[in-house]
């Protein structure tokens, strides 16, 4: 046999999901549910670790598989959180499950937010819509290690007030030293908060020491582009900005080709990228 | 009553005026006042005449428009560093929105007539002010377009076997 | 670009033409399923064969952009053609395969790996461009952060009998890609066909093992010269060229070039090129349940970036016109692939040119973009 690259005698199957059971389902808002999942297999439960920004593939046999950011605390040891919006067949089917039901989980996959670069830095977290879940592990790390970070600001926007996810936690986050600023695209007159898009809050950030800051962003691609535009206009450099990108991810292991964004495989080269790596591709229409 | 020195310092801090030269800041401070609006106070009404430009120092002001049959709709809120009532300076002074303080708000206010006179007298200061206004309005225009794109709306495609 | 790099000195033996069957028998004896060229539906395809008689003796192919026909030869050469619509990827990376299973039990869903009786293949008739293509797919399926177990199981066991081309089709451009026509490595045995038999080059211990059980003779320098002359014929017949100088930056720096509109007007987005391409690896996964719904198989099947919903995301399709999909295919194949895997994704086999219904020629498209300047 012309043996190719040296292969181990047994190759692990990266397509194989672990069985997980739903321990809790929390309604976060219209159509949005957070699942707390526990591994059925104890060994797997003990060995599963994820870094902030990584995602898992939630698998509902007979229906399909979806990539969902892992949105809990990295130091979690017994259950893992996934916040899902019911938008298509699989996510709708997931949302109609119950506590005690089982499904599959593959992961964790992808690159992580570079927390190691944030020592002593001001951190600006910019999220839109369902872009907040993959950033929540960062917030939890800030809270657990507050002295490591400088000023920390969360700028979070969504369509309407009831679409702001994790709203019940904002007060706690504020108490722990995070400046939580929210905004919505539309609201009724009862809402005394911000109305307008996320980039406006970046423009208003004060105080803002641009070369002391690192920015993490996740949300709709257009929001990311204009948020970064505002950040750069305020003097930040592109090397200080990190974005979590999204494309159609099916295999999560860099083999199916769907998630390519220019030469980048979002599933394995990303989803978290330093912005200069994705900036040239963001300018191209229908890439 | 806030002293002119303090007003100048305030103008030096505000995004809108921060990088204007000292002479310009002094001239503007001469015609500026500082106003406080408790939460719930209206600044001006849609359709009414208002001859003052506002630069928000801190706080939040909601901007609403009235649509018959739909009522009053909040279109935007402005906050720290934002300019408000630009049509006092650029238009006929008839407001296109109603503005209400949503929380305790402090603003620098400039009478439009005097600002225009200052600009006419001193073109350098005029250029600086107008340039800043143009940039502020351009930012607001981009922001409005983004709001129009409704980026967080639910996906509407036919799903079939999609996730 | 010149033909494939320095070929190491290897042991060669002479196998008479009427002794070729013994090679089949030796492989079958050792439990291999021999896959080789055979005629089906007026084309030379790769399929399970057991005898020399299954080979396209005395046939050749005439190929051009959008055209493929078989024609009789004047001699009875067994390998007197180049490549057809099949490539070896359909055996190493099967068009349809189960990747996982799920069963509903009393304790809930339980997932498992499918039992994979990976066939033990002997590929007979692998051309130099195809050896290169297998190497390209090795990088994708075996050398990334995740290894595909299906490809690994088949690849690990595969026995490769390469064949050196002694002619070229008008669509071939392996010389531009540095992949041929000479087989330089990555085989167990390599054959060069002459009128009365084969020069058999031994490329591995497994190959040596097989040859030891065959009736072979020593080769003399005259035979070796004849073989060299025969192989030179392939080089001389190659007319198509792809200029790969700076091709990565040329394509990725010209994503708004008007030529994309031009090719989009001709391209049908039919996916033929991706199906016949020996390095394309895109796939999609879907669940198939039995009638009870209690047993589910997760199946991977070939997909193509030309399929309309390949880039579907959040209610819409990102590449929603032929222009962007063709651009994706070509820039991936010739440019992004280099960033991703360190080599080009193209081996110069020319299949995409032949099997395109409208005869789009990627060498022409690249030349047009290069000529019109950045």
């Amino acid at each position: 046999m012309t043996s190719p690259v040296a292969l181990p005698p047994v190759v692990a199957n990266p397509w194989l999901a672990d069985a997980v059971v739903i321990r809790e389902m929390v309604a976060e808002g219209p159509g949005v549910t957070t699942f707390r999942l526990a591994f059925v297999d104890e060994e797997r439960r003990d060995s599963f670790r994820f870094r902030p920004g990584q995602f898992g593939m939630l698998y509902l046999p007979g229906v399909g598989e979806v990539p969902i950011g892992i949105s809990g605390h990295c130091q979690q040891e017994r259950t893992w959180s996934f916040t899902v919006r019911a938008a298509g067949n699989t996510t709708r089917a997931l949302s109609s499950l119950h506590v005690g039901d089982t499904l599959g989980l593959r992961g964790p996959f992808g690159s992580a937010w570079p927390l190691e670069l944030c020592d002593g830095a001001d951190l600006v977290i910019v999220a839109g819509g369902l872009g907040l879940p993959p950033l929540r592990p960062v917030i939890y790390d800030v809270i657990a290690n507050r002295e490591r970070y400088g000023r920390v600001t969360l700028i979070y926007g969504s369509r309407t007030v009831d679409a702001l996810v994790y709203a019940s936690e904002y007060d706690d986050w504020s108490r722990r030293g995070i400046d939580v600023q929210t905004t919505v695209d539309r609201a009724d007159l009862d809402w005394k908060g911000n109305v307008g898009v996320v980039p406006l809050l970046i423009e208003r950030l004060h105080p803002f020491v641009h070369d002391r800051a690192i920015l993490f962003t996740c949300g709709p691609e257009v929001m990311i582009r204009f948020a970064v535009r505002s950040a750069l206009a305020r003097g930040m450099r592109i090397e200080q900005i990190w974005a979590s990108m999204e494309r159609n991810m099916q295999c999560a292991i860099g083999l199916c080709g769907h998630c390519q964004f220019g030469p980048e495989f979002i599933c394995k080269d990303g989803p978290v990228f330093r912005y200069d790596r994705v900036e040239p591709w963001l300018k191209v229409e229908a890439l | 009553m806030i002293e002119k020195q303090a007003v100048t310092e305030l103008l030096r801090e505000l995004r809108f005026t921060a990088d204007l030269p000292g002479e310009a800041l002094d001239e503007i401070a001469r015609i500026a006042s500082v106003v406080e609006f408790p939460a719930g106070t209206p600044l001006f009404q849609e359709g009414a005449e208002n001859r003052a430009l506002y630069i928000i120092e801190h706080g939040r002001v909601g901007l609403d428009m009235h649509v018959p049959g739909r009522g009053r709709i909040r279109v935007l809120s402005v906050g720290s560093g934002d300019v408000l009532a630009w049509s006092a300076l650029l238009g006929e002074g008839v407001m296109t929105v109603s503005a209400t303080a949503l929380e305790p708000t402090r603003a620098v206010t400039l009478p439009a007539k005097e600002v225009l006179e200052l600009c006419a007298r001193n073109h350098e200061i005029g250029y600086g002010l107008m340039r800043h206004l143009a940039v502020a309005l351009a930012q607001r225009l981009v922001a409005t377009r983004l709001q129009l794109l409704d980026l967080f709306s639910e996906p509407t495609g036919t799903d079939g076997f999609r996730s | 670009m010149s033909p494939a790099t320095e070929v190491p000195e290897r042991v060669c033996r002479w196998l008479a033409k009427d002794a070729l069957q013994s090679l089949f028998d030796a492989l079958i004896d050792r439990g291999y399923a021999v896959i080789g060229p055979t005629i089906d539906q007026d084309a030379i395809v790769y399929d399970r064969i057991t005898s020399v008689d299954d080979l396209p003796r005395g046939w050749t192919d005439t190929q051009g952009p959008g055209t493929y026909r078989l024609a009789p030869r004047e001699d009875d050469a067994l390998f007197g053609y180049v490549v057809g619509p099949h490539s070896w990827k359909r055996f190493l990376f099967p068009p349809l395969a189960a990747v996982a299973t799920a069963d509903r039990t009393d304790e809930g869903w339980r997932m498992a790996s499918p039992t994979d009786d990976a066939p033990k293949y002997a590929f007979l008739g692998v051309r130099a461009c195809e050896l290169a293509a297998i190497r390209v797919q090795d990088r994708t399926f075996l050398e990334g952060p995740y290894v595909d177990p299906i490809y690994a199981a088949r690849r690990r066991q595969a026995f490769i009998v390469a064949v050196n081309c002694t002619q070229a089709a008008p669509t071939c451009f392996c010389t531009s890609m540095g992949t041929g026509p000479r087989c330089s490595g990555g085989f167990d045995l390599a054959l060069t066909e002459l009128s009365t038999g084969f020069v058999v080059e031994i490329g591995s211990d497994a190959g040596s093992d097989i040859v030891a059980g065959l009736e072979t003779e020593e080769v003399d320098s005259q035979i070796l010269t004849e073989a060299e002359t025969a192989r030179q014929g392939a080089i001389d017949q190659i007319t198509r060229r792809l200029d790969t100088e700076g091709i990565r930056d040329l394509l990725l720096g010209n994503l708004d070039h008007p030529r994309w509109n031009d090719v989009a007007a001709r391209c049908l987005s039919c996916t033929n090129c991706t199906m016949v391409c020996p390095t394309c690896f895109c796939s999609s996964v879907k669940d198939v349940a039995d009638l009870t719904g209690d047993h589910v198989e997760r199946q991977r099947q070939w997909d193509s970036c030309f399929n309309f919903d390949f880039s579907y995301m959040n209610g819409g399709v990102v590449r929603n016109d032929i222009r962007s999909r063709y651009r994706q295919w070509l820039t991936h194949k010739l440019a992004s692939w280099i960033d991703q895997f360190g080599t080009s994704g193209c081996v110069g086999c020319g299949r995409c040119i032949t099997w395109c219904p409208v005869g789009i020629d990627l060498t022409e498209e690249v030349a047009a973009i290069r000529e019109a300047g950045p």
Side-chain angles (χ1 to χ4, degrees):
Chain A
M1 274 121 274
T2 332
S3 66
V5 72
L7 286 171
V10 178
V11 173
N13 185 358
W15 302 95
L16 180 62
D18 291 299
V20 288
V21 60
I22 300 176
R23 289 273 184 254
E24 191 187 10
M25 286 173 66
V26 178
E28 300 284 357
V32 180
T33 311
T34 294
F35 294 81
R36 264 199 315 113
L37 304 176
F39 285 99
V40 167
D41 178 59
E42 282 198 15
E43 228 180 270
R44 192 67 184 110
R45 180 191 62 203
D46 292 337
S47 68
F48 187 89
R49 286 288 175 274
F50 79 97
R51 291 175 301 141
Q54 291 192 302
F55 66 97
M57 294 299 282
L58 293 186
Y59 172 47
L60 197 48
V63 183
E65 220 188 17
V66 280
I68 306 285
I70 310 175
S71 58
H73 200 302
C74 287
Q75 309 310 317
Q76 260 171 328
E77 280 167 23
R78 306 201 75 76
T79 61
W80 283 269
S81 295
F82 296 84
T83 300
V84 179
R85 175 160 78 173
N89 274 10
T90 307
T91 46
R92 270 199 284 268
L94 280 174
S95 302
S96 62
L97 294 177
H98 304 96
V99 169
D101 286 343
T102 59
L103 53 152
L105 171 62
R106 285 195 302 136
F109 296 117
S111 56
W113 300 107
L115 296 186
E116 65 281 2
L117 297 181
C118 297
D119 262 9
D122 289 350
L123 183 58
V124 182
I125 302 170
V126 179
L130 271 291
L132 184 55
L135 282 164
R136 191 170 64 164
V138 175
I139 294 172
Y140 286 158
D141 192 85
V142 169
I143 289 171
N145 302 287
R146 190 63 187 87
E147 70 292 347
R148 216 185 272 168
Y149 299 82
R151 249 189 314 265
V152 178
T153 311
L154 169 64
I155 292 175
Y156 176 46
S158 72
R159 192 169 197 261
T160 57
V161 176
D162 58 3
L164 293 166
V165 294
Y166 311 141
S168 59
E169 295 185 68
Y170 300 161
D171 281 345
D172 185 55
W173 295 350
S174 298
R175 273 196 299 274
R176 313 291 205 107
I178 297 176
D179 177 15
V180 179
Q181 299 186 22
T182 55
T183 185
V184 292
D185 284 351
R186 57 197 62 198
D188 61 28
L189 303 179
D190 291 337
W191 171 250
K192 304 302 177 199
N194 293 306
V195 175
V197 294
V198 159
L200 286 174
L201 271 61
I202 298 174
E203 275 153 30
R204 280 182 212 137
L205 255 188
H206 184 70
F208 179 65
V209 183
H210 62 86
D211 52 11
R212 211 174 102 96
I214 289 184
L215 192 143
F216 291 166
T217 180
C218 182
E221 201 169 293
V222 178
M223 183 215 83
I224 288 178
R225 277 179 28 230
F226 282 89
V228 172
R229 191 166 176 265
S230 296
L232 295 175
R234 295 212 62 189
M236 285 191 79
R237 282 171 303 109
I238 214 168
E239 297 88 4
Q240 297 163 263
I241 299 172
W242 298 74
S244 183
M245 301 301 301
E246 191 186 5
R247 273 297 182 270
N248 181 336
M249 293 198 288
Q250 288 198 10
C251 71
I253 55 180
L255 293 182
C256 76
H258 283 258
C259 71
Q260 288 174 86
F261 182 56
E264 311 289 353
F265 286 92
I266 301 288
C267 71
K268 63 171 179 159
D269 300 319
V272 176
F273 289 95
R274 201 175 74 175
Y275 199 75
D276 53 342
R277 198 161 158 190
V278 293
E279 197 244 352
W281 315 118
L282 283 166
K283 295 181 190 156
V284 183
E285 203 182 317
L287 190 70
Chain B
M1 179 65 170
I2 316 268
E3 292 181 26
K4 286 308 160 191
Q5 180 60 23
V7 179
T8 313
E9 284 317 303
L10 200 57
L11 292 173
R12 216 184 290 282
E13 292 235 342
L14 289 174
R15 235 168 50 234
F16 187 72
T17 40
D19 57 359
L20 291 176
E23 185 214 337
L25 292 182
D26 288 333
E27 290 280 353
I28 296 168
R30 209 166 291 146
I31 54 173
S33 324
V34 177
V35 219
E36 308 252 359
F37 298 100
T41 320
L43 280 74
F44 48 78
Q45 295 297 332
E46 181 183 354
E49 209 182 271
N50 165 49
R51 292 293 184 177
L53 186 71
Y54 296 90
I55 311 166
I56 312 285
E57 191 249 323
H58 74 258
R60 188 177 298 132
V61 177
L63 307 185
D64 308 332
M65 294 177 79
H66 184 268
V67 180
R70 285 173 59 189
R72 221 164 124 131
I73 313 247
R74 181 139 304 144
V75 293
L76 186 68
S77 66
V78 291
S80 167
D82 289 336
V83 71
L84 181 58
W86 47 266
S87 40
L89 203 62
L90 298 179
E92 298 305 308
V94 177
M95 296 293 102
T96 57
V97 293
S98 298
T100 312
L102 299 178
E103 50 180 62
T105 300
R106 174 136 71 124
V108 171
T109 176
L110 303 165
K113 181 162 168 287
E114 267 121 302
V115 172
L116 291 171
E117 277 167 9
L118 171 59
C119 294
R121 250 193 348 259
N122 186 327
H123 282 188
E124 285 227 19
I125 296 176
Y127 170 74
L129 267 176
M130 286 303 162
R131 189 162 188 290
H132 278 74
L133 193 59
V135 167
L137 289 178
Q139 282 172 347
R140 190 128 354 136
L141 177 60
V142 170
T144 306
R145 284 175 177 160
L146 291 174
Q147 238 169 328
L148 205 58
L149 285 180
D150 203 9
L151 294 172
F152 301 126
S153 61
E154 293 287 303
T156 52
T158 49
D159 277 299
F161 49 94
R162 289 297 152 197
S163 53
Chain C
M1 254 216 109
S2 55
T5 42
E6 273 295 310
V7 184
E9 284 273 336
R10 291 198 179 88
V11 174
C12 294
R13 300 289 296 174
W14 172 257
L15 182 70
K17 188 156 279 188
D18 54 18
L20 186 63
Q21 184 62 40
S22 63
L23 174 60
F24 276 82
D25 298 335
L27 291 168
I28 291 168
D29 255 1
R30 278 170 170 72
Y32 286 101
V34 179
I35 310 289
T38 192
I39 293 178
D40 181 35
Q41 298 173 73
D42 296 317
I44 295 173
V45 301
Y46 294 139
D47 205 344
R48 184 85 181 266
I49 54 176
T50 51
S51 136
V52 175
D53 296 332
D54 295 328
L55 296 170
R57 185 198 300 266
W59 286 96
T60 189
D61 50 27
T62 54
Q63 305 192 34
T67 168
Y68 179 101
R69 293 287 185 278
L70 292 185
R73 296 177 64 89
E74 280 172 6
D75 59 30
D76 63 351
L78 294 168
F79 297 99
Y81 39 84
V82 291
V83 295
H86 285 180
S87 68
W88 306 98
K89 88 172 180 185
R90 67 187 294 110
F91 301 100
L92 298 173
F93 165 48
L96 185 65
V99 292
T101 62
D103 284 278
R104 203 198 303 267
T105 71
D106 292 331
E107 288 84 39
W109 286 105
R110 290 296 176 268
M111 276 61 72
S113 290
T115 43
D116 180 24
D117 290 318
K120 199 169 142 181
Y121 289 127
F123 295 153
L124 172 62
V126 183
R127 305 308 174 115
C129 59
E130 301 183 305
L131 290 172
I134 291 172
R135 191 69 196 94
V136 169
Q137 285 216 323
D138 285 351
R139 279 187 204 94
T140 303
F141 288 110
L142 304 178
E143 296 177 35
Y146 300 96
V147 173
D148 176 50
I150 296 169
Y151 186 95
R154 283 153 184 72
R155 181 72 174 94
R156 198 201 293 270
Q157 301 181 102
F159 186 91
I160 295 179
V161 182
V163 161
N164 281 301
C165 295
T166 50
Q167 65 190 69
T171 46
C172 294
F173 59 100
C174 59
T175 47
S176 296
M177 307 312 293
T179 56
R182 180 82 154 90
C183 298
S184 57
F187 53 78
D188 293 292
L189 298 173
L191 310 178
T192 305
E193 185 174 18
L194 301 177
S195 55
T196 53
F198 302 88
V199 172
V200 181
E201 201 181 339
I202 297 173
S204 73
D205 291 340
S208 177
D209 213 43
I210 291 279
V211 165
L214 305 178
E215 299 262 335
T216 61
E217 296 161 39
E218 274 200 27
V219 283
D220 58 32
S221 59
Q222 193 205 328
I223 289 180
L224 289 175
T225 307
E226 251 187 80
E228 185 57 38
T229 308
R231 291 191 293 263
Q232 185 62 33
I235 299 172
D236 294 339
Q237 286 177 25
I238 292 176
T239 52
R240 201 167 295 271
R241 299 262 182 271
L242 175 65
D243 181 2
T244 57
E245 179 71 40
I247 195 169
R248 186 251 177 224
D249 290 342
L250 174 71
L251 293 181
L252 292 180
N254 276 298
L255 296 174
D256 289 318
H257 200 282
R259 185 70 186 194
W260 301 117
N261 296 322
D262 190 285
V263 68
R266 290 174 276 135
C267 173
L268 306 176
S269 206
C270 73
T271 83
N272 263 17
C273 52
T274 57
M275 298 292 109
V276 298
C277 174
T279 63
C280 273
F281 63 84
C282 285
S283 64
S284 62
V285 199
K286 68 181 199 299
D287 269 23
V288 177
D290 68 0
L291 287 175
T292 65
D294 293 336
H295 176 76
V296 176
E297 238 181 40
R298 198 138 174 75
Q299 292 180 350
R300 176 188 71 186
Q301 62 187 42
W302 286 5
D303 201 346
S304 169
C305 55
F306 281 100
N307 278 327
F308 177 68
D309 57 1
F310 185 80
S311 61
Y312 176 92
M313 179 176 73
N314 295 337
V317 170
V318 175
R319 298 185 201 115
N320 58 2
D321 56 10
I322 294 181
R323 172 184 174 272
S324 55
R325 294 200 293 279
Y326 186 88
R327 180 182 65 186
Q328 164 62 20
W329 179 71
L330 195 64
T331 57
H332 183 209
K333 190 65 55 185
L334 298 178
S336 303
W337 206 287
I338 299 172
D339 287 11
Q340 296 169 347
F341 301 106
T343 67
S344 178
C346 177
V347 297
C349 71
R351 284 182 177 88
C352 56
I353 303 171
T354 296
W355 296 95
C356 173
V358 296
I360 293 172
D361 175 356
L362 79 172
T363 66
E364 225 174 69
E365 298 308 311
V366 172
I369 291 176
R370 199 186 282 279
E371 198 184 294

